[in-house]
Amino acid sequence: MPLPEPGFADPVAESQRAFRALLDAIAHPGRIVDIPGPAGRPEGLSIAQSAIALALLDGDTPVWLAGPCASARPWIAFHTGAPAAPRPDGARFAFAEAGELPAPGAFDLGTDAYPDRSTTLIIETPGLAAGGNALLSGPGIAGTTRATLPLPRAFFAARAELAELFPRGLDLVLTDGARALALPRGTRVEGA
Amino acid sequence: MIQGYNFAYLDEQTKRMIRRAILKAVAIPGYQVPFGSREMPLPYGWGTGGIQVTAAVVGSDDTLKVIDQGADDTTNAVSIRRFFAKTAGVATTERTVDATIIQTRHRIPETKLREGQIVVFQVPIPEPLRWLEPRETETRRMHAHAEYAVMSVKLYEDIARHGRIATGYDYPVKVAGRYLMRPSPIPKFDNPKLDRSPALMLFGAGREKRIYAVPPHTEVKSLDFEDHPFEIERWDKTCALCGAADSFLDEVIVDDAGGRMHVCSDTDYCAERRRQGHGPAAVPAPVEDAAQ
C-alpha cells in the first residue's frame, strides 16, 4: 500500500496560519485570501481545501466528500481521523468540486436554536476572482463588494432560497488552488 | 518562552474546537456558540474565555496588547500579556496602533481601530436575557424566535422608574438587525465604537462556555426608544493629564483630603496624547540625538 501524501510539516504553525486566513475570509465575505497548503496534497482536494481539512477536521467532525473529492478519503482519515458522514446532512464539513455540486439544501443547516450546528461546504471552483458580476453585501462588507463566482446560476438561486431560514443556513468557502473566498450564510449574492 | 507546553498553552484539539466555534460565531453575528471551555491556570472571572479565544487565534507573527478597564499596567492585563509572551513567545505592546490582537476587559480603546485588528473581549455573562429569564432553555428559544420584547419592557421600566434608561455598562445591542447581544461590561460610552468597526470583534465567556462575534463593518445598534434615544456618558471635565475631552474618564482620589481628578481610562491614549504635547502633563519632546 502506498504511503498517504504528507500533511503539514509544522502542524501547529500551519494550522494556525490556515485558520487565520479562513477567519479573515469569513470576516470579509468576498475577499480572496491565500491559504498556504501542506507539502503534499491528496488527489481530490485543492491546496486550500487540503489546508482547511488539516486545520479544522478531527474525530468530532464527520466529513462528506462529494464526487471526485472522495479520492481524498484515506488521506483525511489518516491525517485528521475525521469520520465519513453517511449523508451530506450529517456532515460538519463537506468538500465538493464545482462540476459535481450537491444542492445547498442537502446539507445540515443547523436548527433555529443551534444554527452553528450546520455544515461548512468547501467548493473547489476554478476561476475565482475579485471583481466581477456578483454583487455581495451583508455583515463583514462595507457597503458592497464584487467577485467572480464561477458556480452555476441554479446553485445561487437555491442558496438564495435558504436566506429566509436565517439563522439556519449553509456557510460556503470557495477555493481555487491556494486561494479562497468565503460566503457565510448572511452574505447576499446578486447577479452571480 | 517556557518549554513543555504547546504553542499558546492549549493543545491542538482544543484549539481546533475553539477555532470551529469562532468561525461559526463570525458567520452568525451576535449568536452565542457553545464551546468546550477548558480549565485555565487562572480563576473564572479573570478572563479565561478571552484567553482561550486569543490562544486559538494568535500566531507567532502577531503583536498582542492586553488591557483591563483601559489600562495596560494592571495585574490582570500584565499577567495575561506575560502568559502569552511565555507560552507563545509573541511580541507584546501597549500601543493600540501596533497591536494585531487586543484582548480587553471592559473597554474598547479610544484610538480608532483599523481593518485587520482583532479585539478579544473577556465576557462574564454572555446572555443578555439572563437576568430577565434564568432558564437557558427559554433564552435559547427566545433567541431562536428573535423574541426580545422582554428587553424593551425592562428598558421601559427603567424609564418609568428613573426617567431614563439606567443601564450604564453592558448595554444591550442588536447585531446586524437580528441577535440581541451583550457587549460585555464595557461602558455604554464604548457601544458606538462597535457599530460598523473595521476591526473583528470576538467575545469569549469561559465560565459560561460561549463564544460570539461581530464581523467588521457590521451594524451594532444600542437598544433605545424614539423618544428616549441612546446616549453616551459625558463629562464637564477633561483629562487632568492629557486634556482629552473625547475619552472615557475615571475619577481618581488623589489625597486623604478627598481631592480627586479625572483621568483617561485608556492609558495608551492618554500617554500618546501627552507625547504629542497635549494637556497639563505633556511630555517634553525628546531632544534630537546629536549623533544622527
Side-chain angles (χ1 to χ4, degrees), chain B residues 78-96:
Chain B
V78 171
S79 327
I80 293 172
R81 208 161 51 233
R82 279 196 196 145
F83 175 78
F84 283 110
K86 271 188 191 170
T87 59
V90 293
T92 60
T93 183
E94 296 193 359
R95 298 187 49 152
T96 302

Side-chain angles (χ1 to χ4, degrees), chain B residues 75-247:
Chain B
T75 310
N76 195 216
V78 171
S79 327
I80 293 172
R81 208 161 51 233
R82 279 196 196 145
F83 175 78
F84 283 110
K86 271 188 191 170
T87 59
V90 293
T92 60
T93 183
E94 296 193 359
R95 298 187 49 152
T96 302
V97 289
D98 294 337
T100 55
I101 300 174
I102 302 168
Q103 183 171 327
T104 170
R105 175 177 174 273
H106 306 358
R107 273 315 307 280
I108 298 175
E110 308 289 2
T111 308
K112 258 194 168 12
L113 299 171
R114 62 164 197 278
E115 189 149 318
Q117 285 182 317
I118 298 177
V119 185
V120 178
F121 293 78
Q122 301 173 197
V123 179
I125 309 282
E127 177 51 68
L129 301 166
R130 184 57 71 235
W131 305 135
L132 306 170
E133 170 51 64
R135 289 166 295 181
E136 168 68 15
T137 46
E138 275 303 297
T139 53
R140 194 153 278 279
R141 194 188 54 75
M142 290 157 87
H143 282 294
H145 301 158
E147 200 180 275
Y148 296 139
V150 62
M151 182 57 88
S152 300
V153 171
K154 191 255 172 203
L155 297 178
Y156 170 76
E157 283 176 352
D158 261 16
I159 294 170
R161 263 185 222 155
H162 312 290
R164 62 191 172 85
I165 295 173
T167 306
Y169 64 94
D170 219 341
Y171 190 103
V173 295
K174 201 165 212 188
V175 181
R178 177 56 176 80
Y179 278 99
L180 190 64
M181 187 189 93
R182 276 185 108 120
S184 86
I186 56 173
K188 66 178 177 178
F189 180 87
D190 285 343
N191 275 23
K193 296 176 190 162
L194 288 166
D195 186 33
R196 297 183 174 83
S197 169
L200 170 63
M201 312 280 181
L202 302 176
F203 298 78
R207 177 179 43 210
E208 302 289 324
K209 304 175 173 56
R210 296 290 185 274
I211 287 170
Y212 52 101
V214 176
H217 313 297
T218 299
E219 185 196 43
V220 177
K221 190 180 180 323
S222 302
L223 298 191
D224 62 357
F225 298 102
E226 269 176 34
D227 52 344
H228 284 271
F230 174 77
E231 280 177 349
I232 59 173
E233 301 91 328
R234 292 184 197 290
W235 291 264
D236 51 8
K237 308 231 173 357
T238 55
C239 173
L241 299 177
C242 77
D246 59 351
S247 81

Side-chain angles (χ1 to χ4, degrees), chain A residues 16 20 31 56 113 116 171, chain B residues 20 31 57 62 115 140:
Chain A
Q16 189 272 340
R20 274 293 278 279
R31 171 182 292 182
L56 294 177
D116 57 304
D171 301 314
Chain B
R20 292 194 295 257
Y31 165 75
V57 167
D62 276 308
E115 189 149 318
R140 194 153 278 279

Side-chain angles (χ1 to χ4, degrees), chain A residues 12 16 19-20 27-28 31 55-58 60-61 93 112-116 118-120 139-140 167 171 185, chain B residues 6-7 12-13 16 19-20 22-24 26-28 31 33 56-59 62 115 140 144 178-179 216-218:
Chain A
V12 174
Q16 189 272 340
F19 161 73
R20 274 293 278 279
H28 301 92
R31 171 182 292 182
L56 294 177
L57 302 189
D58 57 31
D60 293 336
T61 55
F93 289 90
D112 285 325
Y114 293 96
D116 57 304
S118 53
T119 310
T120 302
D171 301 314
R185 66 193 73 185
Chain B
N6 192 27
F7 177 80
E12 287 302 293
Q13 158 95 46
R16 259 196 311 275
R19 285 168 182 164
R20 292 194 295 257
I22 291 172
L23 294 176
K24 285 298 178 190
V26 176
I28 316 167
Y31 165 75
V33 182
V57 167
V58 74
D62 276 308
E115 189 149 318
R140 194 153 278 279
R178 177 56 176 80
Y179 278 99
H217 313 297
T218 299

Side-chain angles (χ1 to χ4, degrees), chain A residues 54-144:
Chain A
L54 292 174
L56 294 177
L57 302 189
D58 57 31
D60 293 336
T61 55
V63 60
W64 197 70
L65 301 168
C69 297
S71 338
R73 169 105 287 276
W75 182 83
I76 283 187
F78 177 76
H79 284 291
T80 74
R87 289 150 38 102
D89 63 1
R92 276 277 157 272
F93 289 90
F95 293 84
E97 265 189 25
E100 286 190 44
L101 268 184
F107 294 96
D108 190 351
L109 306 177
T111 63
D112 285 325
Y114 293 96
D116 57 304
R117 298 180 185 171
S118 53
T119 310
T120 302
L121 173 59
I122 301 119
I123 308 169
E124 173 69 8
T125 160
L128 201 59
N133 290 335
L135 185 68
L136 315 181
S137 58
I141 302 169
T144 58

